[in-house]
Amino acid sequence: MALSESEFYEAGMSLPPGVRRDVALRLLESLDPEDCATAAETWLETEVVAAYDALEADPTRAIPADAARAHFTRRWAARS
């Protein structure tokens, strides 16, 4: 039985964090390095540029580095 992309994602997200990390790393290692570079470049050209442009247009949206770091630390701790 083949899983759809969303079914595969949901199944993966139900795994414990350590297993999910190992599976993610194995999947990344299975990709052609050029495909990874293309995906990273696409991400930079779309999402990162859009986020930068939005921040430049409205600097009040900026979050202090300490607050961002604390946010991600809490999110990481909640995953364990």
Side-chain angles (χ1 to χ4, degrees), residues 1-79:
M1 174 182 132
L3 296 175
S4 71
E5 184 178 326
S6 61
E7 290 170 326
F8 180 78
Y9 175 80
E10 291 302 322
M13 291 304 292
S14 70
L15 297 170
V19 175
R20 203 166 56 239
R21 180 196 63 236
D22 293 343
V23 170
L25 290 172
R26 289 179 67 187
L27 287 170
L28 284 171
E29 289 171 351
S30 75
L31 297 176
D32 182 323
E34 193 168 309
D35 290 339
C36 292
T38 301
E41 187 175 321
T42 299
W43 174 73
L44 286 168
E45 290 173 349
T46 56
E47 294 187 38
V48 173
V49 169
Y52 177 83
D53 289 345
L55 184 59
E56 191 172 52
D58 182 6
T60 64
R61 297 179 57 191
I63 300 169
D66 290 343
R69 192 173 300 110
H71 168 77
F72 287 112
T73 299
R74 284 191 305 275
R75 284 191 63 182
W76 186 259
R79 297 175 84 177

